[in-house]
Structure formats: C-alpha cells, structure tokens
Amino acid sequence: MTLTIATLLPSLQNTNGDAENAAVLAQRATWAGLDARVVAVESRDDLPDHVDAVVIGSGTDAALEAARTRLLELHDELRRWGTEGVPILAVGTGWELLSWGIELPDGTNIEGLGILPGRAVPHREGRITGDLVVAERGSRELLVGFENHARAYVGAEGSPLGRVRSGQGNAQGSGQEGVVMGEVIGTHLHGPVLAKNPVLADRMLRAMAERAGLDYSPGEQTLVVDGYADDARRAHLAAAGVDTESVVASSVVAPSSANEA
C-alpha cells in the first residue's frame, strides 16, 4: 500500500516553504520502508482516490481570496477527512482559511471553511515576527519555528497546540500557540515545522500508518537526519533563551498523541 500525502494549493500556499512539510512526511515514511507519495492538489480535479494526510501551507494576503475559492471546492473532503481522523497540518494563512473567518485591516471579512474553531483578527501591535518556542500540550516536547503573521487568532483558547515559551503565538500576551481538533493541527510555526520538529512528524506518520493498518518505526537514515535537527533545535532554543535541558531529543517518541495535544 502506498501512503498518499496531499499538499493543497502549493502554487499559492508555499510562501515559507510550508508546503514542503508533505515532502518531509513522505521521505520519513520511505526511510521507514513504507511506500509514500506526495500529490499536489491545485483543484478538485487533482484529488487522488485516497488520502492519508493533508498539508496546507501559508500564502500571502494577496492570494487569500483565490486560495479560499479553490479550498471551497474541497470543503466536503476536508470536513470528512477531519471527521475520519486523517492527519491535517495547516500553517499560517492555510490555517486561517480553515477557521471561522479572517478579518482584514479595512474591516472586511473573508469567511473561512469552519473546519477549525476560532478566527483571525488584525494585531493591534502590528505584524509579529521572530523565533517561536512552544511547549506542546500533553507532552514535554518543545516545538520550534519562526512566526511571521499580521493577525491574532482568537476563539480557540480551549484547544491550543501548546504554551508559548518564547515569542508571541496566537496573540501578544495570550501565552498560547496554535489549535488542535482531533488530528487537525493549525499553527504559526514555519520552518517547515515538521523538518524542525521530527517528533511531530513521526506522530502524524504513526496516525497515518495506524489508519492504514501499517506499522511505522523511524528508519536508520531518519535517526541520522534527526541528529542534525536536534543540533539546529538546540541552537534555536539557546538563541531564544530557553533552557535546553527541557528538550526531548527528536529521536525519542513523546508520550502523547495529536489527540492529546
């Protein structure tokens, strides 16, 4: 069986390389001895017969309307995938488009697809950029990445991805980052996040494999690459002034699942 990872609208939603999270999943699956492929889905016509995971990257505000129009064609599939437990990772504006809606500075609103709770509203303090460190909810894992967003995310305080250790996250002073509903994750973490945080990638892969009746265990090459990721993470944490002793090595599986995040 071939695991299929769909990356949605990569021509519009890949400003920070976040669409490449799909390639991270596929490569790690291959290193584990599993067959995997990435399918770029620009419209409904590109949909494969079966999907095991979905990635939606971040795009520019100029592309919001076009991206929303195309995602609306996939609304029924996105809702079904979320209900069935298909892992979905949405980053930046890709996440905002799955929310209740996006409020723009001129007061106009873009209606979201309503897959995830909450909505995006303009930051009073302006654009937030910088390193972001998050203590994942339900585990000791610290997630790292770069945040670059002009909007706060409100209305989903009960289901964050984690607590902010350095940076701003969903809103200045909120102390929270991201949102999780079942196997659907929304986050501001750019990087791509799965390359910088292999534990999160492996958690998605285990969920994919379990649904497909397969076993997933990181391959030998994966452990080599994860050593490089750990070095990069430790440098990131040191630069952010976060205690590196609290880091869980990316080659060790954290005890929680995405459902517990």
Side-chain angles (χ1 to χ4, degrees):
M1 177 180 180
T2 299
L3 295 174
T4 299
I5 302 112
T7 178
L8 305 189
L9 315 187
S11 66
L12 296 176
Q13 301 295 116
N14 195 24
T15 300
N16 298 283
D18 300 305
E20 303 311 317
N21 283 302
V24 174
L25 290 174
Q27 186 61 71
R28 294 179 75 85
T30 300
W31 284 334
L34 302 175
D35 291 329
R37 63 170 181 157
V38 174
V39 176
V41 178
E42 297 287 356
S43 71
R44 189 180 182 85
D45 292 339
D46 299 327
L47 274 177
D49 294 334
H50 176 79
V51 167
D52 295 287
V54 177
V55 167
I56 311 173
S58 186
T60 65
D61 278 7
L64 278 174
E65 287 284 5
R68 177 184 178 274
T69 298
R70 294 198 202 174
L71 285 176
L72 277 175
E73 298 178 358
L74 308 173
H75 180 270
D76 291 347
E77 283 76 14
L78 282 162
R79 188 167 293 280
R80 175 171 55 81
W81 293 331
T83 300
E84 293 177 351
V86 173
I88 299 175
L89 174 67
V91 183
T93 62
W95 163 26
E96 293 178 344
L97 286 164
L98 296 191
S99 74
W100 296 335
I102 303 168
E103 182 181 326
L104 301 177
D106 63 4
T108 60
N109 289 275
I110 296 176
E111 185 177 358
L113 274 68
I115 306 297
L116 284 168
R119 62 187 298 106
V121 300
H123 280 300
R124 295 177 182 175
E125 301 81 9
R127 178 172 290 275
I128 289 177
T129 62
D131 290 333
L132 179 60
V133 179
V134 179
E136 188 182 10
R137 187 180 181 188
S139 84
R140 292 178 57 236
E141 179 70 16
L142 292 181
L143 306 176
V144 305
F146 186 82
E147 61 180 334
N148 180 7
H149 49 106
R151 285 177 289 274
Y153 197 88
V154 298
E157 288 74 15
S159 53
L161 176 60
R163 299 288 299 178
V164 173
R165 290 286 300 275
S166 179
Q168 297 301 330
N170 288 353
Q172 194 167 46
S174 73
Q176 295 184 336
E177 160 56 19
V179 62
V180 175
M181 178 172 284
E183 297 290 346
V184 186
I185 299 173
T187 184
H188 293 110
L189 287 164
H190 302 292
V193 61
L194 296 187
K196 284 191 171 183
N197 302 280
V199 166
L200 186 58
D202 281 348
R203 195 168 300 139
M204 291 183 66
L205 281 161
R206 286 189 173 86
M208 293 164 56
E210 183 177 352
R211 292 187 72 254
L214 303 172
D215 293 323
Y216 171 78
S217 181
E220 184 176 344
Q221 182 61 34
T222 306
L223 301 181
V224 173
V225 171
D226 287 356
Y228 302 139
D230 281 337
D231 290 343
R233 284 160 46 78
R234 291 181 186 278
H236 186 124
L237 293 166
V242 176
D243 179 15
T244 58
E245 293 302 315
S246 61
V247 179
V248 177
S250 62
S251 58
V252 178
V253 179
S256 68
S257 69
N259 280 328
E260 299 167 326

